[in-house]
Amino acid sequence: MKISVWCRSAVLCAAATLGATASSAQERPPLDPDAIRAVGTPDEPRDDWQIQLGVGGFYSPNFVGSKDYQFQAGPNIAVRYKDRFFISVLDGVGFDLIKTDSFRAGPVVKFQQQRRENGKSTFMIAGKRSTALLGMGDVDATIEAGGYIRYQSGPFSANAEVRKGLGGHDGVIAEFGLRYTTPFAGLSVGDRPIILSVGPGATVVDSNYEATYFSIDAGQSSRTGLARFDTKGGLQSYGVNAVVVVPISPKLSAALIGGFDRLSGDAAKSPLVRERGSRNQKTLGLGLTYRFGL
């Protein structure tokens, strides 16, 4: 399960690699870049182009609501221009249309991967291929367009993002997160602190989004043996995640990320989850990132 959104800092992109290849739609922020600077990361000249190259692996459910887990690994590339325009595998494409010392807001476009009923995942390298989706049919890949807002006050941050699907699902998804970021137990590497960021998050969806992934129509019922089920949308999941970022050198950092989400509402009530999956979704991963400027 993907935990995160908004990795736009040089230090943090190690955490972003963990979510870059996940098949879930849940993408709450692993860390807030301004919060990292607020707790003591040394100030550095900021180049117009900030580029981050990373690789990571994570252990997470095969799909949102799955009880089967797999290990995925893959690269992450993130680029930010003049600290306003960004493009990355995790964050998508966006622009800080409004930007102050404590507030940012703007449009964003993201890509949601296809959900295959055969359980195949592009970046899976180990684990069990789930058979729970057999008979449910594939969900096509989706372009999601919307907007985000982020507020920062010292080590605390609040984030919200709302997107509309254009393709595989035509629904609306809204993601919310709170973060607290602080040096970890006073530990550091040279003059760079090891950073801990932790906080809760939630995902709210409309009926179209929920139906795409958790409703069971007559055809699906006959193929799977699961009872028919119609969803209405609402709170889909809530949880908490934490990231520990370890600076290895001025340009290289590693991150350990862990999280827990619990499905709620109609997603939790769906026979797909009750009979073939689990409400509890856990993630553990490790990433490595190198960043530089131009």
Side-chain angles (χ1 to χ4, degrees):
M1 165 165 292
K2 200 174 220 180
I3 303 183
S4 213
V5 183
W6 307 310
C7 173
R8 299 170 192 148
S9 77
V11 178
L12 200 277
C13 243
T17 61
L18 308 177
T21 57
S23 58
S24 157
Q26 278 83 355
E27 300 183 2
R28 289 193 291 282
L31 211 58
D32 190 303
D34 292 335
I36 295 177
R37 291 191 285 272
V39 295
T41 298
D43 291 332
E44 298 174 354
R46 299 184 69 80
D47 298 294
D48 283 352
W49 290 95
Q50 301 165 45
I51 302 172
Q52 297 135 358
L53 304 177
V55 62
F58 62 97
Y59 184 71
S60 63
N62 291 46
F63 61 91
V64 181
S66 176
K67 66 179 180 180
D68 299 316
Y69 283 70
Q70 60 184 217
F71 182 78
Q72 299 187 53
N76 184 59
I77 299 174
V79 177
R80 191 167 181 88
Y81 179 65
K82 291 191 173 180
D83 202 29
R84 297 194 75 139
F85 172 79
F86 59 89
I87 178 171
S88 76
V89 177
L90 179 64
D91 288 341
V93 180
F95 178 75
D96 291 338
L97 189 63
I98 301 173
K99 178 185 173 184
T100 69
D101 290 341
S102 60
F103 182 82
R104 296 180 187 234
V108 66
V109 176
K110 290 188 174 181
F111 177 77
Q112 174 64 26
Q113 293 189 46
Q114 178 187 30
R115 189 182 77 174
R116 299 184 177 98
E117 69 170 349
N118 63 9
K120 184 178 180 181
S121 175
T122 303
F123 296 96
M124 176 178 171
I125 60 175
K128 181 180 180 181
R129 182 184 295 185
S130 176
T131 60
L133 294 173
L134 291 177
M136 292 293 293
D138 295 339
V139 177
D140 292 337
T142 307
I143 298 296
E144 298 175 346
Y148 62 88
I149 59 174
R150 179 164 63 86
Y151 177 76
Q152 179 72 43
S153 179
F156 295 95
S157 63
N159 309 274
E161 187 167 303
V162 180
R163 304 184 304 276
K164 173 72 167 64
L166 307 170
H169 75 77
D170 295 318
V172 175
I173 176 172
E175 296 166 335
F176 306 91
L178 298 173
R179 308 296 305 176
Y180 177 70
T181 305
T182 183
F184 183 69
L187 300 177
S188 64
V189 178
D191 62 347
R192 297 171 179 272
I194 295 174
I195 300 295
L196 169 67
S197 183
V198 61
T203 300
V204 178
V205 300
D206 72 353
S207 58
N208 288 334
Y209 186 97
E210 198 89 298
T212 301
Y213 294 98
F214 295 103
S215 280
I216 300 172
D217 61 25
Q220 292 170 326
S221 178
S222 65
R223 294 191 297 270
T224 63
L226 298 173
R228 292 191 60 178
F229 184 74
D230 295 321
T231 59
K232 299 179 181 178
L235 178 64
Q236 185 184 82
S237 66
Y238 55 90
V240 64
N241 64 82
V243 180
V244 176
V245 180
V246 181
I248 299 173
S249 73
K251 295 184 181 296
L252 185 66
S253 60
L256 175 67
I257 184 171
F260 174 83
D261 283 271
R262 185 168 174 82
L263 296 183
S264 178
D266 286 345
K269 296 175 184 177
S270 172
L272 175 64
V273 175
R274 288 191 293 105
E275 299 181 29
R276 294 187 175 184
S278 172
R279 294 181 62 182
N280 299 324
Q281 308 281 278
K282 300 174 285 290
T283 299
L284 181 65
L286 180 67
L288 190 67
T289 291
Y290 181 82
R291 54 100 176 176
F292 59 94
L294 296 174

